[in-house]
Amino acid sequence: MDDKIKSKLMSRLVPYFKEVHLDDIISETKRVVVDLKNVHDYGFFEFLDYLEENPYSALELLNEAYADAYFSYKMADADCTVTVKNLPESLNRNSNGKPMTIEDIKGENYGKLVEVEGIVVMATKIKLALKEAVYVCASCGQKKKVTIERPFEMHIGPQCPKCSQNMLLLDEESKYVDYQELKIQQPLDLMDDPEDPPKFISVLLEYTPGIYCGRIKVTGIPIKNQKNKKIPLHDILIGGYNCEPVTEKLDVSFTENEIKKFESLAKNKDVLNILSGRIAPQIKGNEIIKQSILLQQVRGVKKGKKRADSHILLITDPGTGKSDILRFIAGVPGCVYSSISTASGVGLTAGVVQEKTEIGDSTWVIKPGVLVKANGGTACLDELTVERSVLSYILEAMESQTIHVSKGGLNTKLPAGCSILAACNPKYGRYDKNIPVIEQINIPAPLLSRFDLIFPIKDTPNRKRDSEIANHILDTHIAYMDESKNKEIGLFYEIIDEIKIDFDFFCKYIAYARQKTPKFTKESKQVIHDFYLDLRKSSVQITARQLEALVRLSEAHAKLKLKDLVEEEDAKFAIYLMTESLKEVAYDQKTKSFDIDRLFGNSKVERNELNVVYDIIRLQCENSEHNLAKKISIIKRALEYDISDGKAVKLIDKLIGFGDIEEISAGTYRMKGV
């Protein structure tokens, strides 16, 4: 570096540290991260220009300037490292003038500072890397300090300039840093064409805090790695200097004009229908389902370990558009789509596999799955009932919103704080409200009970409705070619109160609404309290899980309207959604009441009938010489309790399934264990 340039830059850098990073100096942190946007606002453009052309020298200069500033305060040497983050837009643009992404990193970026976002798809365990080596000559005692720029490459110690002997490493005086290799994938929302194959790049991260999943922003310099020394081909990697999680996946920066539009639309009494209508607008109808999904995206209020995310299950007849709805939501930044028909258990959660890394060794690495990648968003799971064996993997994420991984010496807990929007078809082709849900779908009861709302989408003939759907589908196809028709049906956008409501506005409104934290009023609390007690008057008909779901939905409704309080109307709408869901899946026609156990095939009436048949079999076995009961006798006795022949046979089969009785020969039973 030219001494004049260095002197000029230092004369500005030292005062900058004293003024801007005083807190870092006083706290004596081991690692200082310089926000380059602050440098830009500080007006130090000469340094930014130098950083763009000479990143390695500029970073070295930062460390020197910080050391000088620190010494002036403490009269001691600074034992820390200085790195950077938040590159100004002028330093981090691709050839089209857009922010740099993974797919933009090519040979022209080699040796230049870049900053990209990515989703972690592979992470090694933390290793120690030699950063600053101190060598000593065994003959003359001379010491030499060497900075290791590439710890992943073979390093040979220097020779003593006096004795011409190989110098020895002084391990106790050398400095090591935490080192980790990550492979990151370009997020779909940052790709020009989401249908293109995914783009990846490996990151060799110094001073890693230990990152195994999620969306991150990496600041570093593209470097090259030659795996085969005989072939002059190199892979492009990123030598990472700083890495931070991107906690919010939707854009959370809003202009004053955008905020005015949000506040204006929130005052519209029909705001819920306006925004829910933007969900898969090519699908006609299903308003209550779209409203529920919209509130799911807004979420409730996070409180400690209590989840704010709602889980929704759609049970749909074939051809009703469930996949279109799921794929639309998957297009919202931070949301992920997966079909269970092509997913494995570890593909849904997280896997630990042995893999050869860029560094060259074979090691155990963590590969986050769909639920971990969707952390902070929504996991859209299609064809949920196709592969029952993988469903047990989802249970932990739905309740605790974490995934525990323990294999190959790695034991870690990954965040999976996402909502789940799942869909499946009834296994007999069409949904029948007279048959318990669990008998129509191949989902275990513990998993089914975690869904806040369950909605069937039925394809029932209705001439007026069928005509509307037919016209809408035809108009949708025409709208892609006819702009005037598009405006008529609002396929891509619609204008409400002079506000253009398109997909981008939809996403930004959700992000803005999520920031609200409304609190319950006494009145809204009482509404939910009374509803809960009314449904539990005579039996355990709904549980505390439904109560917590009502709280989340009430908060989401208030947040959607950008309110600071959860009012009665919010609580009543949450009750309306819950009631409509229960009507379809947990309403017992015999008792004319809601019974959540009907979801699992055992309503209050059926539980009583099971007990009757069980007692009949038990008494017949006790009064039999061989402790046996015959099917004919059981059915005959059950008729006295108004249990039909067919019903009695089904109840006997259930008792066998529960393990209460066993069939020792055709039509002959005994109590289990006797």
Side-chain angles (χ1 to χ4, degrees):
M1 183 190 304
D2 186 277
D3 290 339
K4 289 184 178 180
I5 296 176
K6 179 177 179 179
S7 177
K8 182 180 179 180
L9 294 177
M10 287 286 284
S11 66
R12 295 285 307 278
L13 274 176
V14 174
Y16 165 77
F17 276 120
K18 289 181 179 179
E19 293 178 25
V20 180
H21 282 275
L22 179 62
D23 291 338
D24 291 325
I25 294 172
I26 296 301
S27 63
E28 298 190 19
T29 179
K30 293 293 182 183
R31 191 163 176 267
V32 177
V33 183
V34 175
D35 190 330
L36 291 178
K37 287 186 177 179
N38 287 343
V39 177
H40 182 275
D41 296 340
Y42 189 73
F44 198 178
F45 305 118
E46 298 95 331
F47 175 74
L48 294 176
D49 292 339
Y50 188 77
L51 179 68
E52 183 177 12
E53 297 298 325
N54 306 277
Y56 290 110
S57 297
L59 290 172
E60 184 180 337
L61 196 63
L62 277 178
N63 278 276
E64 288 186 37
Y66 183 84
D68 285 355
Y70 184 90
F71 189 83
S72 67
Y73 274 92
K74 292 288 188 176
M75 299 304 292
D77 293 332
D79 183 20
C80 67
T81 300
V82 182
T83 187
V84 294
K85 68 175 182 180
N86 289 337
L87 269 67
E89 294 180 355
S90 59
L91 299 186
N92 200 46
R93 291 282 179 179
N94 61 18
S95 57
N96 296 322
K98 296 180 179 179
M100 186 73 69
T101 61
I102 291 173
E103 62 185 331
D104 296 323
I105 297 177
K106 298 180 176 66
E108 62 188 26
N109 304 113
Y110 173 68
K112 304 292 185 181
L113 196 64
V114 298
E115 191 168 68
V116 295
E117 285 190 19
I119 297 172
V120 177
V121 296
M122 185 276 285
T124 66
K125 61 184 179 182
I126 296 176
K127 304 178 181 183
L128 277 182
L130 183 61
K131 183 64 177 175
E132 190 174 271
V134 178
Y135 292 95
V136 64
C137 177
S139 298
C140 65
Q142 182 174 340
K143 291 185 179 181
K144 185 175 182 179
K145 187 181 292 185
V146 179
T147 300
I148 311 297
E149 293 293 343
R150 294 185 166 203
F152 61 92
E153 291 185 348
M154 183 179 293
H155 176 70
I156 300 175
Q159 286 189 335
C160 178
K162 290 182 179 181
C163 308
S164 299
Q165 293 184 5
N166 291 334
M167 303 181 78
L168 303 177
L169 178 69
L170 285 177
D171 193 67
E172 64 276 7
E173 295 185 23
S174 299
K175 291 184 180 179
Y176 291 84
V177 297
D178 290 330
Y179 203 78
Q180 189 179 24
E181 180 180 338
L182 309 174
K183 181 180 282 187
I184 59 175
Q185 175 186 334
Q186 184 166 329
L188 290 179
D189 57 286
L190 297 183
M191 292 182 66
D192 292 333
D193 185 356
E195 299 299 323
D196 283 348
K199 307 299 190 298
F200 301 91
I201 197 166
S202 293
V203 179
L204 304 179
L205 183 61
E206 296 181 357
Y207 302 98
T208 178
I211 294 173
Y212 297 100
C213 63
R215 184 161 172 162
I216 58 175
K217 182 167 68 174
V218 176
T219 308
I221 299 176
I223 58 178
K224 59 185 179 180
N225 183 35
Q226 186 179 9
K227 290 184 179 178
N228 190 334
K229 302 303 180 183
K230 297 179 181 179
I231 302 175
L233 289 176
H234 300 79
D235 292 325
I236 299 178
L237 320 173
I238 293 180
Y241 289 98
N242 189 62
C243 181
E244 295 183 354
V246 180
T247 53
E248 285 290 343
K249 304 199 177 176
L250 286 173
D251 188 2
V252 293
S253 58
F254 312 103
T255 64
E256 291 185 10
N257 186 45
E258 286 174 335
I259 293 174
K260 286 181 181 179
K261 289 180 180 179
F262 298 152
E263 298 288 350
S264 174
L265 185 64
K267 294 176 183 177
N268 190 314
K269 64 179 181 180
D270 209 27
V271 60
L272 178 66
N273 290 325
I274 292 170
L275 290 173
S276 63
R278 302 316 308 156
I279 296 176
Q282 72 273 23
I283 304 297
K284 181 72 174 178
N286 301 319
E287 286 82 6
I288 191 172
I289 293 172
K290 291 184 177 182
Q291 290 169 351
S292 301
I293 293 173
L294 175 61
L295 296 186
Q296 179 191 44
Q297 302 313 301
V298 175
R299 304 175 190 156
V301 178
K302 182 72 174 175
K303 313 173 198 76
K305 294 184 178 181
K306 291 285 185 181
R307 65 178 169 95
D309 303 292
S310 298
H311 304 315
I312 297 176
L313 174 64
L314 308 179
I315 307 171
T316 69
D317 289 347
T320 50
K322 65 176 175 60
S323 296
D324 287 337
I325 294 175
L326 265 62
R327 290 185 183 277
F328 176 90
I329 295 301
V332 176
C335 300
V336 180
Y337 174 89
S338 179
S339 175
I340 300 298
S341 60
T342 58
S344 63
V346 294
L348 288 173
T349 53
V352 178
V353 298
Q354 202 162 25
E355 187 171 292
K356 192 169 184 179
T357 64
E358 292 289 345
I359 297 174
D361 60 338
S362 183
T363 185
W364 291 101
V365 298
I366 292 177
K367 289 195 169 183
V370 170
L371 299 178
V372 177
K373 290 179 182 177
N375 181 47
T378 300
C380 303
L381 306 180
D382 206 352
E383 307 295 349
L384 189 66
T385 57
V386 169
E387 188 56 61
R388 183 183 174 93
S389 62
V390 306
L391 298 184
S392 59
Y393 289 82
I394 306 174
L395 192 59
E396 179 188 9
M398 291 187 72
E399 190 58 33
S400 67
Q401 299 201 300
T402 57
I403 299 293
H404 284 82
V405 178
S406 183
K407 186 178 178 182
L410 289 171
N411 193 340
T412 187
K413 181 173 71 173
L414 305 179
C418 61
S419 302
I420 289 181
L421 175 60
C424 64
N425 296 123
K427 59 184 176 182
Y428 300 124
R430 300 283 176 177
Y431 181 79
D432 187 344
K433 66 185 302 181
N434 297 314
I435 300 175
V437 171
I438 200 166
E439 294 182 14
Q440 301 189 64
I441 57 177
N442 199 25
I443 297 178
L447 185 67
L448 190 62
S449 69
R450 262 66 177 187
F451 286 100
D452 298 55
L453 298 172
I454 301 175
F455 289 111
I457 303 180
K458 294 171 286 187
D459 185 16
T460 52
N462 181 298
R463 189 169 182 80
K464 180 181 177 182
R465 182 172 175 273
D466 290 346
S467 176
E468 292 175 350
I469 291 174
N471 286 327
H472 186 77
I473 291 173
L474 293 170
D475 288 343
T476 296
H477 282 271
I478 296 171
Y480 279 98
M481 306 298 293
D482 186 347
E483 178 67 20
S484 62
K485 197 66 178 177
N486 167 43
K487 290 180 180 178
E488 180 183 328
I489 68 170
L491 180 60
F492 302 116
Y493 68 90
E494 59 181 335
I495 307 295
I496 304 291
D497 298 332
E498 299 183 352
I499 301 172
K500 182 179 180 180
I501 303 175
D502 55 10
F503 181 72
D504 182 61
F505 182 90
F506 175 85
C507 294
K508 286 198 170 187
Y509 190 98
I510 289 174
Y512 186 73
R514 282 182 182 178
Q515 297 177 343
K516 296 291 182 179
T517 55
K519 297 180 180 179
F520 273 84
T521 62
K522 290 183 179 179
E523 293 77 13
S524 59
K525 175 185 173 183
Q526 193 64 42
V527 168
I528 293 180
H529 174 271
D530 293 345
F531 173 77
Y532 180 69
L533 290 187
D534 284 344
L535 289 188
R536 288 180 61 88
K537 276 181 181 177
S538 57
S539 66
V540 183
Q541 295 168 322
I542 69 169
T543 69
R545 281 184 179 157
Q546 283 71 49
L547 178 62
E548 291 189 342
L550 287 172
V551 171
R552 289 188 286 269
L553 292 169
S554 301
E555 291 170 340
H557 190 267
K559 290 170 73 173
L560 183 76
K561 295 196 171 187
L562 308 184
K563 297 192 294 188
D564 296 321
L565 296 174
V566 179
E567 299 173 331
E568 285 187 69
E569 65 159 339
D570 305 307
K572 288 179 179 177
F573 189 80
I575 290 172
Y576 162 71
L577 292 181
M578 179 69 69
T579 303
E580 291 300 308
S581 173
L582 293 176
K583 277 181 183 177
E584 296 290 346
V585 299
Y587 188 75
D588 194 326
Q589 291 289 348
K590 291 184 178 180
T591 61
K592 303 297 180 183
S593 64
F594 295 126
D595 189 345
I596 203 68
D597 284 346
R598 179 173 165 74
L599 271 173
F600 315 115
N602 295 314
S603 65
K604 180 184 177 184
V605 171
E606 190 166 90
R607 288 196 302 273
N608 291 337
E609 291 174 340
L610 272 171
N611 288 331
V612 168
V613 173
Y614 177 83
D615 287 339
I616 290 172
I617 297 172
R618 179 179 56 81
L619 290 172
Q620 287 192 12
C621 287
E622 290 176 354
N623 296 325
S624 167
E625 181 179 353
H626 301 289
N627 294 320
L628 301 176
K630 297 288 185 179
K631 178 183 285 188
I632 295 176
S633 300
I634 298 170
I635 292 174
K636 184 177 179 181
R637 180 67 172 152
L639 284 171
E640 298 177 13
Y641 294 90
D642 295 325
I643 300 174
S644 66
D645 296 9
K647 185 68 173 177
V649 171
K650 286 185 178 180
L651 293 172
I652 291 171
D653 290 339
K654 282 198 171 187
L655 289 172
I656 294 173
F658 293 152
D660 294 320
I661 64 174
E662 58 183 340
E663 187 174 19
I664 60 172
S665 63
T668 305
Y669 310 95
R670 68 180 176 190
M671 304 301 294
K672 195 69 176 284
V674 176

